[in-house]
Amino acid sequence: MSQKTKRKRTRNCGKRAKLNSQGFKTYKNFRIYIAETSNGGYSRNPKPAPRSQIVDIVRDLWNNDKSVKAMRKHIKEISIRYTQNGIAGTWFKEKQKIVVNDNGRDTIPFYKSVLIHEIVGHTFWDFSRKYRRLELIEFNKLANKLSPVSTYVKKHTDEWKKINDEYDDLEQFEKSIEHIPDYDASEELTKEYQTKQESFDENRKTNGHDLMTRYANEQHSAITEIVYGSNGHDTILDQENIDKLIKLWEGLHY
């Protein structure tokens, strides 16, 4: 082996994520929490650990999935625990955190479907707003026009079409100053807000903001389940349009 080849291989190895003691590839500032069996105590009941099969699904997606690989450095935490309350899987975009709740009752195939829906679906859709925006806009254009992909999306269509899932700079700025009473706001702060408002109103006309609906977001998760062959709800969209969405999905994810 030449010295040149040795150096090249060394450099590539240095870029690889490290496996932690739980077998998860980790990056700086990333945390994985897997709850252990609890013996209980005063005012609380003992809890089992989450099922190993569910941990295995999350680990496999995290370590090996192409879509998840693109996002790993942008996800700060994964929490897997047993609880009889709460949704099976959720992506918290503000905290950049994935929470998996094993209720001990639902089947492993169900959890696989939920985790694909949340991690490869919602988490990637949110990631794409910044890093794959043009491709996401093209996906959203069609997703918003089409009928629901699944019975789950159909059930919430009217509600989701009214919700915009864009978490923009204006919203963050508003949150940063919401504690300041109107009568206490300085002239400079008022001008800054007006400038941001005007910029936001102008940019949203051309940056695809209006297409970032909850409906398109859920359509993306529904088609993701179909792509992975793990759809947890009945498909009701015709095959021709499913194929069109899958083509845009592939352009978005790779």
Side-chain angles (χ1 to χ4, degrees):
M1 182 186 296
S2 69
Q3 291 298 317
K4 184 177 180 181
T5 302
K6 287 182 179 179
R7 286 196 299 271
K8 184 177 180 181
R9 289 193 175 182
T10 300
R11 286 197 299 270
N12 288 340
C13 288
K15 294 179 181 178
R16 292 175 183 171
K18 297 179 180 179
L19 287 179
N20 69 0
S21 60
Q22 297 149 316
F24 282 77
K25 292 182 178 179
T26 58
Y27 288 89
K28 185 178 180 181
N29 299 324
F30 170 75
R31 176 176 182 261
I32 175 74
Y33 169 73
I34 303 174
E36 298 180 350
T37 302
S38 165
N39 293 323
Y42 179 73
S43 77
R44 65 185 179 90
N45 297 319
K47 291 183 179 180
R51 285 172 285 180
S52 61
Q53 299 98 316
I54 292 176
V55 176
D56 290 343
I57 293 170
V58 180
R59 185 189 295 110
D60 182 57
L61 282 173
W62 181 258
N63 288 352
N64 303 313
D65 186 86
K66 290 182 179 180
S67 296
V68 177
K69 182 179 179 180
M71 300 184 290
R72 284 203 297 248
K73 292 182 180 179
H74 306 279
I75 296 172
K76 294 182 178 179
E77 183 178 353
I78 297 177
S79 175
I80 311 172
R81 59 183 184 172
Y82 173 88
T83 177
Q84 294 184 344
N85 302 312
I87 300 172
T90 308
W91 161 242
F92 294 94
K93 62 182 179 181
E94 291 83 2
K95 296 181 179 180
Q96 294 175 268
K97 178 179 180 180
I98 296 166
V99 174
V100 180
N101 294 315
D102 178 13
N103 61 22
R105 300 184 304 273
D106 289 315
T107 65
I108 299 303
F110 167 80
Y111 269 93
K112 184 175 183 179
S113 173
V114 168
L115 295 174
I116 287 170
H117 182 101
E118 292 295 328
I119 301 174
V120 191
H122 290 312
T123 309
F124 192 90
W125 188 93
D126 193 54
F127 160 86
S128 298
R129 290 189 300 105
K130 181 175 181 180
Y131 298 101
R132 302 282 292 166
R133 192 171 186 89
L134 294 180
E135 293 83 358
L136 181 61
I137 287 172
E138 290 305 308
F139 178 91
N140 288 348
K141 283 180 182 177
L142 181 60
N144 279 310
K145 292 178 182 177
L146 292 180
S147 301
V149 170
S150 67
T151 51
Y152 175 64
V153 179
K154 182 179 180 180
K155 182 179 179 181
H156 303 281
T157 292
D158 293 340
E159 172 192 356
W160 286 343
K161 284 190 173 184
K162 297 175 183 176
I163 300 173
N164 189 293
D165 274 345
E166 183 90 277
Y167 190 73
D168 52 73
D169 292 339
L170 181 67
E171 185 176 349
Q172 294 183 56
F173 181 72
E174 287 174 342
K175 286 187 176 182
S176 73
I177 63 173
E178 64 184 5
H179 65 285
I180 304 175
D182 290 341
Y183 57 79
D184 246 1
S186 67
E187 183 178 350
E188 290 78 12
L189 188 64
T190 302
K191 286 182 178 179
E192 183 180 359
Y193 178 77
Q194 289 174 344
T195 300
K196 285 184 178 290
Q197 178 71 61
E198 291 169 2
S199 175
F200 172 73
D201 290 340
E202 186 61 31
N203 287 340
R204 71 182 298 175
K205 298 175 184 177
T206 57
N207 70 357
H209 173 88
D210 291 343
L211 297 169
M212 303 293 167
T213 64
R214 177 70 53 82
Y215 183 75
N217 191 347
E218 292 289 349
Q219 289 274 73
H220 174 261
S221 286
I223 207 71
T224 298
E225 291 183 52
I226 292 174
V227 170
Y228 278 71
S230 186
N231 42 318
H233 303 90
D234 292 336
T235 301
I236 56 176
L237 185 64
D238 62 277
Q239 190 61 47
E240 180 180 356
N241 282 314
I242 286 174
D243 291 341
K244 290 179 181 178
L245 275 180
I246 289 177
K247 185 176 181 179
L248 290 173
W249 184 97
E250 291 172 342
L252 173 64
H253 281 250
Y254 300 109

